[in-house]
Amino acid sequence: TTDGGLTWIPKQNLDVIFYDIHFSNIFNLIYHDFSMQVSNSPIAVFDSGLGSLSVIRELKSLLPLEDLIYLADTENFPYGTKTSEDLQLIMKSTVESLEPFGPKLIIVASYTPSVQHLSYIKKCTSVPILGISLPLTQAVKLTKTKHIGIMATQSALQSSQLQRLIAKIPQRIFVTQINASPLIDTIEDC
């Protein structure tokens, strides 16, 4: 279905965003880089499911004149169960499948590949790539109980990249890690 420049697969949207996509990075890339400003090329967004349609909704709200392409990579759903090596191959293939659309920016709207392979994904293309991240700095500032929870796939929780981020959290903050892998199918079916 195409709706105002957005190509997507119809499904109910999720209203809760558990991650931070750093929309200011998108503005900086698009509106401070003159070549992106004048480009009529779309912004591509992909994930293994449909939960990240909340990212599309936010982009449409903040950048109403931008054309967006959304790829729900349901063939490889869920990313969180893939080995690191398989996920790298999937990321390379996905980026290559988006390149013929000529995007000016590709957003990896899934936390697992963003935390584990974003630098690798960036090497696969000349198109600027943004991923998503956990808003840990904000969580540390906002917590009143000095206890924050991180809900992610098992592979993301076990990744050395996430563990390095958690190690930077002040020791006065207690961190609970919650394996959300069993919930992924349920969330996608909502």
Side-chain angles (χ1 to χ4, degrees):
T1 303
T2 300
D3 177 25
L6 167 64
T7 304
W8 59 290
I9 299 169
K11 183 121 175 181
Q12 290 179 329
N13 294 344
L14 296 177
D15 292 323
V16 180
I17 299 178
F18 295 105
Y19 46 81
D20 183 4
I21 193 163
H22 300 289
F23 285 101
S24 61
N25 290 346
I26 296 170
F27 285 116
N28 288 338
L29 273 172
I30 294 173
Y31 295 103
H32 295 257
D33 181 338
F34 185 72
S35 64
M36 278 200 187
Q37 254 182 7
V38 298
S39 170
N40 288 327
S41 299
I43 296 172
V45 179
F46 77 91
D47 185 10
S48 67
L50 300 171
S52 59
L53 284 172
S54 56
V55 172
I56 292 288
R57 187 173 43 251
E58 190 70 16
L59 285 170
K60 288 300 277 183
S61 171
L62 294 171
L63 303 169
L65 301 178
E66 293 290 341
D67 287 328
L68 303 174
I69 295 172
Y70 184 75
L71 171 64
D73 183 15
T74 55
E75 180 180 328
N76 293 300
F77 172 82
Y79 288 156
T81 61
K82 306 296 186 255
T83 66
S84 182
E85 297 77 20
D86 286 345
L87 193 53
Q88 273 192 339
L89 293 172
I90 292 166
M91 292 302 100
K92 184 175 189 313
S93 172
T94 303
V95 167
E96 288 172 352
S97 72
L98 289 168
E99 286 178 327
F101 295 96
K104 62 181 155 194
L105 175 66
I106 297 174
I107 298 173
V108 182
S110 174
Y111 182 70
T112 299
S114 291
V115 73
Q116 293 179 340
H117 299 295
L118 195 61
S119 53
Y120 170 79
I121 299 166
K122 289 179 178 183
K123 293 176 188 173
C124 294
T125 183
S126 61
V127 177
I129 304 277
L130 287 179
I132 59 173
S133 62
L134 292 175
L136 293 177
T137 303
Q138 297 93 320
V140 168
K141 289 178 185 175
L142 294 173
T143 182
K144 291 179 175 42
T145 62
K146 306 296 184 220
H147 185 179
I148 59 176
I150 298 173
M151 190 178 234
T153 63
Q154 185 66 33
S155 63
L157 292 174
Q158 292 175 340
S159 72
S160 60
Q161 297 89 340
L162 178 58
Q163 294 309 311
R164 279 195 295 275
L165 292 173
I166 291 171
K168 293 178 184 178
I169 295 173
Q171 288 189 353
R172 71 181 194 289
I173 305 292
F174 183 74
V175 177
T176 299
Q177 298 177 59
I178 303 160
N179 177 10
S181 295
L183 298 175
I184 302 297
D185 287 329
T186 304
I187 291 168
E188 287 296 313
D189 289 338
C190 289

